Amino acid sequence: MTRFTRLRGFPLSTWLPLGVLVVITLAVAVGPAFLPYRAEEIVGDLWEPMSWAHPLGTDQLGRDMLARVLEGGRTSLSLAAVIAGLAFLFGSGAGLTAAFLGGWVDTALSRAVDLLMAFPPLIFALLTIAVLGNSIPVLVTVLTLFEALRIFRLTRSLAMEIAVQEFVAVARLRGEGIGWILFREILPNGMVPLMAELAIRFVFGLLFLSSLSFLGLGVPPPAPDWGGMVRDNAPAVSFGLSAPLVPAAMIAIVAVCVNLVADSLLHTRGRSRSAEG
Amino acid sequence: METINAAQPILQVRDLRVQAGSQPILKGVSFDLYPGEVLGLIGESGAGKSTLGLAALGHMRGGCACVGGEVLFRGQDVFSLPPRQAGMLRGRRITYVAQSAAASFNPAYTLESQIAEPLRRGGGSSGPIARTIRNLFRRLGLPQPDIFGARYPHQVSGGQLQRAMTAMALAPEPDIVVFDEPTTALDVTTQLEVLAAIKQAIREEGSAALYISHDLAVVSQISDRIMVLRHGQMVEEGTTRELIDTPKQDYTRRLLNVSHAVVPAEVREDARDEVLSIRGLSARYGSVPVLDDVTLGVRRGTTLAVVGESGSGKSTLAKVVTGLVPAAGGTLTFAGKALRPTLKARDKDTLRRMQMIFQIPDTALNPRQTVGEIIGRPLSFYFGLPRAEVERRVADLLRDIELGPEFARRYPSELSGGQKQRVCIARALAADPDLIICDEVTSALDPLVAEGIIKLLRRLQEEKGVSYIFITHDLGTVKAIAHDIAVMRRGRVVDCGARDAVLSPPFHPYTELLFTSLPTTREGWLEEALAKRPDPDALDGTAPGASQEAGQANARTGHRRGADRPVASGMGG
Amino acid sequence: MVLTRLIAKRLFGALVTLWFVTVLIFLAVECLPGDAAEALLGKDATPVAVENLRAELHLNDPPVERYVGWLGRVAVGDLGKSLTTNRPIAPMLATRLSNTLFLAATAAAIAVPLAIILGLVSALYRGTRLDRVISVLSLASISFPEFFVGYILLVVFALNLGWFPVLSGINPDMGLGEQLHRIVLPALTLVCLVLAYMMRMTRAAVINVLSNPYIEMAELKGCSRREIIVRHAFVNAVGPVANVVALSLAYLVVGVVVVEVVFTYPGLGQWMVDSVSKQDILVVQICGLIFGATYIGLNLTADIVAVLFNPKLRHPR
């Protein structure tokens, strides 16, 4: 009941992007089944303009752009989601461990994270791909690693911040076990910023992955993905055609919407806090 | 040259109305301030006194708007002055002393350059300005007045910074100085010195002043007239003596009663057996010793008050007794058994028998749990009570703390400060403890609310026979609740014993210093206290730097009535 | 005293990080599956070619010796030959690096002052419509992938309006004016990318300073708005803002990689991407080292600036 009323309290600037995201997710998930063309089917000339038959035109080989975009969305969005999810799991797990155990475990983990974060992720990814090639497992591992670093830092600092609150001291004095303190006292108070961070990590993963694909070093063919589609259709730009802008715009729309939702999550939290004070 | 007519008010506030959004802060307040007069503004938090003080300078904080009435300085509306003239008014004719001097000085500049700023704007040359400032430093009793101004704000102590800010306010020889709780963040002994310095300086300058405080005793020592504010409205106004001796309004009488006529707790000669014995206890943070050879006992069913200024180690004492901080040496005996040093080593029943209540109820209650969950947890945790039984007991406990059963469903954010602290008390009681450690439980609360909490704690003690360790820097509450008193200073117990023994002659010099520094509403108290109190520096052989350190740490917290906030306990500890 | 110790600590930290980066980059070759030389040349390479490459890469030496040797050669600029073109790397690197620096510097020269001004404006006028417009735009530009911005600019300004060339290739024979004209679009793309980030952080830093009680005190002392901003806010905001600038430049240096590919600009980033797909590991290594070192250097600058401008550290008790 509280959850529902809380959701209803969100303004239009939250509902709108949320709605767009739901529509895109649904379209990507079930849309291809309703389309007359398959993604890999050549249905016309290359770079045909938008028409009733091909609402988004065709691509560099004459395939239906809409079918490609939906198919590509499956790859891009699901990979970004997997990366964000894994990173959240490892990052927050390690962050909580560091905050809770303290001592040398914390020092070691934090130092390692600092060291890795001093290295630009894209350069690290390029280096790894140069050596190991651009397979999906390599991409997921590298991206998860860098996403997890950020989540580690946030979780650790949140946990430390909440753990020094006196209600946690009260629970410790009562003799509560670590499970109660973690899941009943600390986590409920850190959920909102963590969820917002998860959303931001998803965006970052999507952008990063798309950039790599755009550079020809991301998701390997034949599976289409948005970044790779931009690359494949890039020559169209020289003819004044906007084909590569279609998948690029999809990335941008998803990223903007998720960022807006994350923003309002944090914003609402700030408001309720100030009301409490 | 304009002549000042003594009969004409220098500042007139007429039916001033201020709102923050749609919420009224001031609901039509009027007063006059005459040249050379000191008007005290007193009220609890939310009374609108700071808003009123800032309005005298024509300033509104962000989000606040003046929706009616006017503020006239020498007949001119301060809100409608053109920027240039407003600049000449503020900082020169009307000046301001903030509560937190540490945050109100710009860290990038020396004190003297900041104090000189309004003077230079008036076109003064640097030689005379420097002389004026040095003279003020000297008069305010600042050390090395000739070079003091060359320091940066973070290089001096809290008490000194507050005096430097007073110097800044007095330097332009203003017509009016607005003091906004200038001594609230200071320790009681420092407060006395700063208060005396302020009083003397404004008398000598002949400036008028608005003195804002929540502490009626402080205000009564410095003001000619007092105005009591509540919820944005004036309750009562009168000359200081009138208001103190013959208050007309019930609210004023209640405020006065808090400050002095406390009924002391009954002496308990019968209680002999000690529920907690502390022998030779010591503790350290890293290599810094914070407790040194502390020996104390808490008699069953009584209250031991532990008193001290910031940095005295009294909060650490609580942490060591509860096991949050391990002791470095000494023994603890609780309910006849030796107490293990760490939390983990103590069994559940021992933990249950000793409960703790913290200073700031906001952070002591998990914002994501309802009051029912908060109070119910000890019941299910310690006694394994079934759900229905827990709910019934929660309702009983809520009645004990004078709250209705409907509170069980509320979240802490829906409660007032006093209600939150009551919930904390109920949570401690739910464990059916032998001993409750109360760490500054009233210092974050308004005086009347604090008084209610004290009464509640006393009633519960009489009903349930529970013992308290009552840790406080607020000496006023000590008389009301303590059976025994221990006075701490720099990690040591310097004086302890039964309340009446400690509070009657012959005094221990530090105890005397503390209690004579506690402001009262008696006329002439300030001068007497200053004259007869022992020299604080003579009390110890240590360098003066140490006390300076403590004063600074205190002022840095900058919160209302914020004595030492408890040191945050790490997760690993 | 405190100051020098803190700076020395930061310097040491950066050196450790740099060392770690060199080890990581060096290990890249070690991680090649199987025999590095064979992996690089492919299965049908002649044994002689493999043996030559082994010598070239010093694969016959023990690892530690190889690492020290590699580091030493890099330090004196002996970078060997490209595995794919067989041409010496060093001269190529010099051209590519100077092209990238030219692009990045141009972008920074536009972005830094613009971001600081916009950040200041939106902080001073926070809550107004202007502030909201700026914040929406910055959110959008944070969410847009580099190539999206790049292609939009390309379609609009190069193809439809024809103001700027589609290809941004520059060479030393061109005059400065011609070169600048050619890099306008990639530079603008970079500006768009880094501007929002820098502006948001500048805004936050300035708001943080303005929310201090000493700013209200200055107002109550009768300081004019100008005095408050120049004398009281600026001195305390310089540190945080300079810190923001250095961090943003680090971000820009990495962002340059994708932008160069979009505009086929002959810079370090494009070269690195090219070499990654060709597995030209020596080039990848040196490019990675340069990017990494620059990134670390800029982060270090940000740290040191923050320390230097902190009055509490400059005037210890």
Side-chain angles (χ1 to χ4, degrees):
Chain A
M1 138 219 144
T2 48
R3 169 157 302 185
F4 184 66
T5 46
R6 234 180 273 156
L7 268 180
R8 262 214 315 216
F10 281 130
L12 182 73
S13 56
T14 311
W15 277 115
L16 200 66
L18 211 57
V20 172
L21 286 176
V22 170
V23 169
I24 291 179
T25 315
L26 278 178
V28 163
V30 301
F34 296 97
L35 285 180
Y37 317 109
R38 280 178 296 120
E40 59 274 22
E41 202 175 342
I42 294 176
V43 294
D45 222 352
L46 74 162
W47 293 322
E48 272 181 30
M50 297 178 180
S51 64
W52 281 112
H54 307 291
L56 295 177
T58 58
D59 76 349
Q60 85 281 7
L61 294 177
R63 294 171 294 196
D64 182 57
M65 187 63 96
L66 180 61
R68 299 287 292 171
V69 162
L70 294 184
E71 194 64 36
R74 282 192 174 178
T75 321
S76 291
L77 295 181
S78 56
L79 273 181
V82 165
I83 288 165
L86 284 177
F88 189 74
L89 212 65
F90 292 124
S92 58
L96 284 178
T97 312
F100 242 97
L101 295 183
W104 67 267
V105 177
D106 182 28
T107 313
L109 276 172
S110 300
R111 285 281 152 79
V113 166
D114 285 349
L115 211 53
L116 280 170
M117 279 186 75
F119 204 78
L122 182 64
I123 303 302
F124 184 89
L126 290 180
L127 208 64
T128 318
I129 291 165
V131 174
L132 300 175
N134 53 334
S135 62
I136 299 268
V138 169
L139 291 174
V140 171
T141 310
V142 172
L143 267 64
T144 301
L145 172 68
F146 275 93
E147 301 270 63
L149 297 180
R150 312 261 165 185
I151 296 175
F152 168 87
R153 276 205 178 167
L154 180 75
T155 318
R156 178 175 171 275
S157 70
L158 270 176
M160 304 265 247
E161 190 186 306
I162 299 169
V164 297
Q165 302 253 21
E166 280 159 358
F167 63 79
V168 178
V170 169
R172 289 175 57 208
L173 284 175
R174 198 187 301 139
E176 298 282 4
I178 195 161
W180 173 279
I181 291 179
L182 205 55
F183 293 107
R184 302 302 290 273
E185 305 284 349
I186 292 182
L187 266 186
N189 287 288
M191 241 22 229
V192 173
L194 278 179
M195 284 299 112
E197 180 68 10
L198 183 63
I200 291 165
R201 276 1 300 168
F202 173 82
V203 171
F204 185 81
L206 179 67
L207 290 176
F208 197 166
L209 192 69
S210 303
S211 288
L212 284 176
S213 290
F214 170 75
L215 297 176
L217 304 169
V219 181
D225 82 302
W226 288 345
M229 289 172 67
V230 176
R231 175 191 178 81
D232 295 341
N233 287 288
V237 167
S238 328
F239 307 109
L241 302 170
S242 56
L245 288 184
V246 175
M250 290 306 293
I251 301 169
I253 291 170
V254 170
V256 168
C257 289
V258 176
N259 267 335
L260 280 174
V261 172
D263 229 38
S264 79
L265 261 181
L266 289 173
H267 197 70
T268 320
R269 167 177 174 257
R271 249 199 325 239
S272 68
R273 269 231 172 145
S274 65
E276 282 164 24
Chain B
M1 277 302 276
E2 51 185 317
T3 50
I4 298 167
N5 182 350
Q8 283 293 316
I10 192 165
L11 185 78
Q12 293 169 286
V13 175
R14 292 275 162 272
D15 192 33
L16 187 65
R17 293 165 188 277
V18 175
Q19 290 190 346
S22 60
Q23 201 189 350
I25 304 291
L26 290 177
K27 304 170 189 165
V29 177
S30 306
F31 67 84
D32 289 338
L33 184 67
Y34 291 88
E37 180 192 41
V38 180
L39 173 65
L41 291 178
I42 175 134
E44 296 182 300
S45 54
K49 35 189 207 308
S50 285
T51 310
L52 189 54
L54 289 170
L57 290 96
H59 181 77
M60 287 281 135
R61 285 228 162 105
C64 292
C66 177
V67 292
E70 53 187 6
V71 179
L72 304 174
F73 174 74
R74 294 180 190 274
Q76 258 194 316
D77 187 352
V78 294
F79 283 109
S80 60
L81 284 178
R84 250 192 98 73
Q85 272 179 283
M88 290 313 285
L89 178 76
R90 292 180 189 173
R92 294 189 54 80
R93 303 302 358 124
I94 309 184
T95 57
Y96 182 76
V97 178
Q99 174 180 353
S100 167
S104 299
F105 274 111
N106 191 327
Y109 297 108
T110 61
L111 293 169
E112 185 162 328
S113 79
Q114 296 187 60
I115 295 170
E117 206 175 350
L119 299 175
R120 276 200 302 267
R121 195 160 355 98
S125 54
S126 57
I129 289 180
R131 266 199 302 283
T132 310
I133 293 173
R134 275 158 212 192
N135 272 331
L136 270 168
F137 284 165
R138 196 165 291 121
R139 295 224 312 269
L140 287 162
L142 285 163
Q144 298 170 294
D146 291 334
I147 56 165
F148 182 80
R151 300 201 196 159
Y152 285 85
H154 60 275
Q155 295 172 325
V156 306
S157 76
Q160 290 171 353
L161 218 46
Q162 208 65 52
R163 274 181 267 189
M165 178 152 282
T166 306
M168 179 155 81
L170 291 173
E173 300 180 4
D175 297 323
I176 305 173
V177 186
V178 177
F179 292 93
D180 191 355
E181 305 251 14
T183 63
T184 305
L186 303 174
D187 269 326
V188 59
T189 51
T190 319
Q191 163 171 289
L192 177 67
E193 294 160 19
V194 174
L195 204 57
I198 289 177
K199 183 171 183 178
Q200 194 186 0
I202 48 182
R203 287 278 182 272
E204 284 172 15
E205 293 293 333
S207 305
L210 276 181
Y211 195 98
I212 298 165
S213 177
H214 69 283
D215 188 338
L216 191 51
V218 166
V219 168
S220 72
Q221 289 306 318
I222 208 157
S223 315
D224 303 310
R225 270 193 307 144
I226 295 179
M227 181 164 139
V228 183
L229 279 174
R230 191 187 191 195
H231 304 322
Q233 277 170 320
M234 189 192 80
V235 174
E236 179 169 4
E237 192 207 337
T239 67
T240 301
R241 289 315 344 145
E242 263 172 33
L243 193 111
I244 300 288
D245 297 335
T246 53
K248 292 184 193 71
Q249 297 294 320
D250 184 50
Y251 181 68
T252 315
R253 267 193 289 276
R254 278 163 59 205
L255 282 180
L256 272 168
N257 280 340
V258 169
S259 339
H260 53 181
V262 281
V263 186
E266 264 175 59
V267 180
R268 294 283 304 273
E269 288 293 341
D270 50 323
R272 283 274 170 267
D273 108 78
E274 285 189 351
V275 63
L276 175 76
S277 310
I278 303 169
R279 297 283 173 267
L281 196 68
S282 63
R284 51 189 69 238
Y285 286 129
S287 61
V288 185
V290 277
L291 285 182
D292 183 12
D293 192 22
V294 170
T295 296
L296 287 171
V298 185
R299 295 180 293 148
R300 189 174 292 280
T302 70
T303 302
L304 168 70
V306 179
V307 203
E309 297 187 289
S310 56
S312 62
K314 57 191 191 301
S315 277
T316 307
L317 178 65
K319 291 210 171 77
V320 174
V321 170
T322 53
L324 282 172
V325 169
T331 58
L332 292 166
T333 313
F334 180 55
K337 284 190 290 189
L339 203 53
R340 310 288 292 272
T342 61
L343 263 183
K344 275 180 193 156
R346 296 182 187 177
D347 62 48
K348 206 165 163 178
D349 193 56
T350 309
L351 294 173
R352 177 188 68 73
R353 287 157 165 264
M354 187 191 293
Q355 294 291 311
M356 180 156 175
I357 305 172
F358 289 88
Q359 175 179 5
I360 305 177
D362 302 75
T363 62
L365 299 174
N366 189 335
R368 303 275 165 182
Q369 293 173 359
T370 62
V371 168
E373 286 168 343
I374 290 168
I375 302 177
R377 180 60 188 170
L379 297 169
S380 51
F381 182 76
Y382 290 128
F383 307 112
L385 296 184
R387 206 191 165 97
E389 181 69 1
V390 167
E391 277 173 24
R392 206 184 54 72
R393 284 283 298 138
V394 167
D396 287 349
L397 285 161
L398 282 171
R399 199 169 44 242
D400 278 344
I401 56 166
E402 294 148 21
L403 294 180
E406 72 278 6
F407 275 85
R409 287 188 303 277
R410 299 201 186 156
Y411 283 90
S413 58
E414 300 166 70
L415 308 182
S416 71
Q419 288 169 340
K420 284 180 203 168
Q421 198 58 291
R422 282 168 190 262
V423 170
C424 292
I425 293 172
R427 173 173 59 191
L429 281 180
D432 192 17
D434 297 342
L435 174 67
I436 300 181
I437 297 161
C438 305
D439 187 5
E440 301 270 13
V441 291
T442 56
S443 30
L445 304 172
D446 274 317
L448 288 178
V449 180
E451 189 194 17
I453 296 289
I454 298 287
K455 282 185 180 155
L456 174 67
L457 285 170
R458 269 173 57 175
R459 201 198 77 214
L460 292 170
Q461 183 167 59
E462 279 155 24
E463 286 173 17
K464 322 221 175 220
V466 61
S467 316
Y468 297 132
I469 295 182
F470 196 88
I471 291 166
T472 187
H473 74 284
D474 179 4
L475 302 160
T477 57
V478 169
K479 288 180 193 167
I481 198 162
H483 298 100
D484 300 306
I485 296 179
V487 181
M488 288 190 69
R489 183 163 196 249
R490 293 183 199 167
R492 288 170 168 274
V493 175
V494 293
D495 189 11
C496 81
R499 180 191 65 220
D500 294 340
V502 170
L503 296 185
S504 48
F507 295 110
H508 181 277
Y510 183 66
T511 310
E512 187 176 15
L513 173 69
L514 276 186
F515 280 87
T516 51
S517 301
L518 179 66
T520 73
T521 52
R522 192 161 47 80
E523 193 171 7
W525 165 82
L526 182 58
E527 291 71 16
E528 272 173 41
L530 204 61
K532 76 173 189 194
R533 77 190 195 131
D535 182 3
D537 291 330
L539 281 173
D540 48 76
T542 47
S547 68
Q548 182 173 321
E549 204 76 38
Q552 179 144 21
N554 191 12
R556 217 182 278 126
T557 62
H559 283 279
R560 219 191 123 171
R561 251 156 296 156
D564 49 348
R565 305 177 74 191
V567 179
S569 58
M571 297 197 73
Chain C
M1 233 354 254
V2 182
L3 208 59
T4 38
R5 212 173 47 229
L6 263 173
I7 291 178
K9 210 172 138 190
R10 296 284 198 281
L11 265 173
F12 178 74
L15 279 177
V16 170
T17 316
L18 193 62
W19 169 79
F20 169 73
V21 167
T22 62
V23 170
L24 212 65
I25 288 173
F26 170 76
L27 283 178
V29 179
E30 302 292 301
C31 294
L32 281 173
D35 181 275
E38 271 175 33
L40 290 173
L41 289 176
K43 287 211 169 62
D44 33 307
T46 61
V48 182
V50 172
E51 202 40 54
N52 282 345
L53 185 61
R54 290 186 67 85
E56 179 109 349
L57 295 177
H58 305 269
L59 285 182
N60 299 322
D61 301 344
V64 175
E65 206 170 296
R66 209 168 344 133
Y67 168 73
V68 175
W70 173 71
L71 213 55
R73 285 194 302 282
V74 167
V76 299
D78 173 12
L79 304 175
K81 288 185 204 158
S82 157
L83 298 177
T84 46
T85 62
N86 213 21
R87 288 210 301 243
I89 292 174
M92 185 74 164
L93 182 72
T95 333
R96 293 279 184 157
L97 183 58
S98 72
N99 284 350
T100 291
L101 287 179
F102 179 53
L103 176 59
T106 311
I110 303 170
V112 171
L114 200 61
I116 291 178
I117 290 169
L118 287 177
L120 263 174
V121 166
S122 68
L124 293 179
Y125 297 93
R126 65 176 181 277
T128 64
R129 194 169 299 163
L130 179 75
D131 177 34
R132 275 201 293 275
V133 168
I134 290 178
S135 91
V136 167
L137 284 181
S138 69
L139 185 97
S141 97
I142 283 172
S143 314
F144 286 177
E146 299 95 328
F147 45 79
F148 185 52
V149 180
Y151 281 131
I152 288 179
L153 293 179
L154 207 57
V155 167
V156 174
F157 292 104
L159 296 163
N160 289 348
L161 297 172
W163 292 355
F164 304 105
V166 175
L167 294 176
S168 308
I170 58 168
N171 59 61
D173 305 335
M174 296 173 185
L176 183 64
E178 169 75 12
Q179 288 188 340
L180 280 174
H181 185 237
R182 285 188 155 240
I183 65 159
V184 165
L185 290 183
L188 217 55
T189 311
L190 274 177
V191 168
C192 288
L193 289 179
V194 77
L195 187 68
Y197 174 74
M198 212 188 298
M199 204 176 65
R200 277 194 146 192
M201 285 178 38
T202 306
R203 179 179 182 273
V206 172
I207 286 181
N208 189 25
V209 170
L210 287 179
S211 66
N212 275 303
Y214 60 77
I215 296 294
E216 185 179 49
M217 193 65 211
E219 233 173 295
L220 295 173
K221 280 200 291 187
C223 294
S224 66
R225 198 170 167 78
R226 218 187 68 102
E227 274 179 298
I228 291 174
I229 290 166
V230 173
R231 185 174 144 82
H232 287 280
F234 186 72
V235 278
N236 291 297
V238 168
V241 169
N243 179 281
V244 167
V245 168
L247 288 177
S248 310
L249 291 182
Y251 182 73
L252 185 141
V253 162
V254 180
V256 87
V257 173
V258 177
V259 174
E260 284 182 359
V261 173
V262 170
F263 292 93
T264 51
Y265 179 82
L268 201 61
Q270 196 223 21
W271 196 31
M272 182 172 183
V273 171
D274 219 34
S275 307
V276 169
S277 39
K278 291 179 187 152
Q279 279 219 322
D280 194 341
I281 201 78
L282 290 181
V283 177
V284 174
Q285 275 185 318
I286 190 68
C287 290
L289 188 58
I290 289 175
F291 276 119
T294 316
Y295 191 81
I296 293 168
L298 286 168
N299 277 314
L300 173 68
T301 315
D303 272 357
I304 290 184
V305 160
V307 172
L308 279 180
F309 280 96
N310 185 335
K312 295 197 180 170
L313 295 175
R314 248 187 317 164
H315 311 285
R317 290 154 166 262

